[in-house]
Amino acid sequence: MSLIVQKFGGTSVGSTERIKNVAKRIARWKAQGHKIVVVPSAMSGETNRLIALAKEISPMPDPRELDVVASTGEQVTIGLLSMALMELGLKAKSYTGAQVKVLTDSAFTKARIERIDENRMRADLEAGYVVVVAGFQGVDAAGNITTLGRGGSDTSAVALAAALKADECQIYTDVDGVYTTDPRIVPEARRLATITFEEMLEMASLGSKVLQIRSVEFAGKYKVKLRVLSSFEDKEGPGTLITYEDDPKMEKAVISGIAFSRDEAKITVMGVPDRPGIAYQILGPIGEANIDVDMIIQNAGVDNMTDFSFTVPRNDYAKTMQVLEKQVKGHIKASDIRGDNKVCKVSLVGVGMRTHAGVAGKMFRTLAEEGINIQMISTSEIKIAVIIDEKYMELAVRALHKVFDLDQPA
Ligand code: ADP
Ligand code: ASP
Ligand code: MG
């Protein structure tokens, strides 16, 4: 008998019919004698709807109140799913994050889980209940409702699995595993039977939303056995297992996957003096405004002047420009500040890069052949990322997928 945490994403619980199907799947696992904790997301589109409602009232909603609203989608699905389980004759009980409790810090809309009290869940599991816990939400030390950032139910599930020392955490979604790239963009994409934790971490951080980045970090920290599966197949297949050790015996492709993200904006501060402290003067106020800077390039200066470029999340573009205009431009006497929020990031990921040279060259040649200009480049041991014009994103991903032999064999 195993203890399994099963997370069901928004599409998987998108209608009462689908919730009933999810209940049937859970009942099958329960009938095999397993202890089950279930973590549903809100019904698909619901969290977007709630956030839009908040923005109709207030363009920049108060974060504490936004979390009060945004967290409610999951309260609906835990109740509905518990009812559906009871209709099948199972014992089931639902809990909100605060009831469990899932203790987080107080960073509303992007809170981090600090501790989970598993006593109540354990007692229920012992008594034969399926325990249904709301994803995406928690409570801070002062009792305020918090949410974990978009896609945060993945993190709820992995954190619960870690706290309960579960045998496996299963993430059920609308695709049957992690693919070489988003199968909605490249129909030839292939499901990966396994992906290393490091690669999954890069894929998630570079934009593959199949798993929220924090869920992968959590899984790595506590070595949670994590699997991505489809909730749309009658009998679940093997899905994709996240592995913690790279099996040297396995013949590995150089590139495991391609990630991409439209959530990018590029800013160039032109004509600034090329002297010590300039990066700090530009990026300091941006960091203080709580904006994450990603790629940074400082060009070689001419006549002691230089240009300085960096990227920020697209959502923070307007705020970044404001900070630069108000706090930086006059101060460092930049000649101009140029922004472009129509760029995207395309990245190759693979542990095979450690032992194979020439990946970057092949990537750049492929993009050149497609007439795509590279605006910025950043690399690490197992990834190469480029910033390009957003309108070429799909073309770039498809071309790279083919050139690096990731396409499904015909
Ligand atoms: P859920 O609501 O179940 O959490 P998400 O929409 O958050 O589902 O994540 C699943 C989606 O992630 C898929 O429908 C797919 O379009 C997208 N996706 C992006 N990159 C990948 C990838 N490499 N492999 C599989 N799916 C991916
Ligand atoms: N419902 C939340 C969202 O849409 C959390 C999740 O689906 O994981 O972001
Ligand atoms: Mg998701």
Side-chain angles (χ1 to χ4, degrees):
M1 185 170 64
S2 306
L3 198 168
I4 303 173
V5 175
Q6 301 185 321
K7 179 254 169 177
F8 291 90
T11 338
S12 310
V13 294
S15 65
T16 48
E17 216 39 55
R18 288 196 175 154
I19 291 176
K20 288 182 195 170
N21 279 335
V22 164
K24 282 187 205 151
R25 183 179 302 277
I26 296 166
R28 282 205 299 277
W29 283 88
K30 188 80 177 73
Q32 289 169 25
H34 302 300
K35 291 182 177 161
I36 313 279
V37 174
V38 192
V39 181
S41 299
M43 295 167 91
S44 58
E46 183 60 10
T47 311
N48 285 346
R49 189 185 74 85
L50 293 165
I51 294 172
L53 281 180
K55 290 194 172 160
E56 276 177 31
I57 303 273
S58 166
M60 295 265 277
D62 177 79
R64 179 187 183 277
E65 302 312 323
L66 183 58
D67 277 357
V68 170
V69 175
S71 63
T72 57
E74 274 74 9
Q75 186 164 336
V76 173
T77 49
I78 54 169
L80 292 176
L81 185 54
S82 298
M83 290 173 207
L85 289 163
M86 287 180 206
E87 285 295 323
L88 298 177
L90 273 76
K91 286 164 77 176
K93 209 185 263 186
S94 69
Y95 292 106
T96 63
Q99 286 172 322
V100 165
K101 73 187 187 180
V102 177
L103 182 73
T104 71
D105 63 16
S106 305
F108 298 112
T109 75
K110 49 182 172 207
R112 283 185 181 270
I113 297 177
E114 290 180 342
R115 193 156 39 82
I116 291 180
D117 188 351
E118 16 61 88
N119 292 331
R120 236 165 146 176
M121 290 186 287
R122 279 217 193 277
D124 287 338
L125 289 170
E126 286 308 320
Y129 283 92
V130 173
V131 177
V132 185
V133 179
F136 184 52
Q137 50 172 265
V139 64
D140 73 2
N144 299 302
I145 292 172
T146 56
T147 67
L148 310 178
R150 298 308 304 271
S153 298
D154 297 333
T155 304
S156 307
V158 175
L160 285 165
L164 289 160
K165 302 190 179 57
D167 297 285
E168 185 160 320
C169 180
Q170 303 175 338
I171 306 286
Y172 285 92
T173 182
D174 52 9
V175 284
D176 65 346
V178 179
Y179 277 65
T180 45
T181 192
D182 190 339
R184 287 179 212 286
I185 301 289
V186 183
E188 294 80 13
R190 278 186 287 120
R191 181 179 59 83
L192 299 163
T194 61
I195 182 167
T196 68
F197 157 73
E198 278 177 290
E199 289 170 327
M200 193 63 239
L201 200 60
E202 289 283 11
M203 289 283 279
S205 82
L206 294 166
S208 300
K209 71 165 184 172
V210 60
L211 286 176
Q212 197 204 31
I213 172 87
R214 283 187 184 170
S215 72
V216 186
E217 287 168 0
F218 232 104
K221 191 163 170 197
Y222 297 96
K223 297 287 177 291
V224 175
K225 187 173 176 196
L226 183 59
R227 198 184 287 278
V228 178
L229 304 148
S230 165
S231 69
F232 287 82
E233 293 176 328
D234 283 344
K235 193 180 171 332
E236 46 282 301
T240 300
L241 182 69
I242 297 14
T243 58
Y244 297 100
E245 265 149 47
D246 200 17
D247 185 351
K249 290 192 297 297
M250 264 204 1
E251 185 66 37
K252 267 284 214 183
V254 180
I255 300 301
S256 296
I258 303 179
F260 52 83
S261 161
R262 280 197 175 84
D263 181 25
E264 306 288 333
K266 181 182 130 182
I267 290 159
T268 303
V269 185
M270 322 236 342
V272 293
D274 190 9
R275 57 169 154 75
I278 201 73
Y280 176 64
Q281 280 175 313
I282 295 173
L283 298 180
I286 293 170
E288 276 157 35
N290 237 332
I291 297 166
D292 284 333
V293 172
D294 180 20
M295 286 192 201
I296 304 170
I297 290 184
Q298 185 178 340
N299 299 326
V302 178
D303 295 336
N304 294 327
M305 300 301 272
T306 185
D307 297 340
F308 190 92
S309 300
F310 57 93
T311 61
V312 294
R314 199 175 283 183
N315 264 340
D316 288 326
Y317 175 66
K319 196 165 143 198
T320 310
M321 290 300 264
Q322 241 176 22
V323 171
L324 289 172
E325 283 292 335
K326 280 205 188 122
Q327 297 182 40
V328 177
K329 195 175 176 187
H331 198 52
I332 57 168
K333 303 194 176 56
S335 65
D336 198 6
I337 296 175
R338 291 193 191 156
D340 182 355
N341 64 353
K342 295 275 183 297
V343 295
C344 69
K345 181 161 66 181
V346 174
S347 316
L348 302 181
V349 174
V351 288
M353 269 187 231
R354 287 200 176 111
T355 45
H356 286 80
V359 175
K362 195 165 164 182
M363 180 185 201
F364 303 156
R365 190 177 66 230
T366 305
L367 295 174
E369 280 166 5
E370 297 293 341
I372 301 171
N373 185 39
I374 301 172
Q375 303 183 19
M376 292 170 106
I377 302 167
S378 102
T379 63
S380 78
E381 233 192 338
I382 65 162
K383 74 128 201 270
I384 304 175
V386 296
I387 294 287
I388 59 172
D389 188 324
E390 179 184 56
K391 67 174 180 264
Y392 299 121
M393 190 180 83
E394 296 188 8
L395 174 65
V397 174
R398 289 204 187 100
L400 292 167
H401 200 267
K402 201 179 181 82
V403 162
F404 282 95
D405 293 328
L406 297 172
D407 278 6
Q408 190 95 253

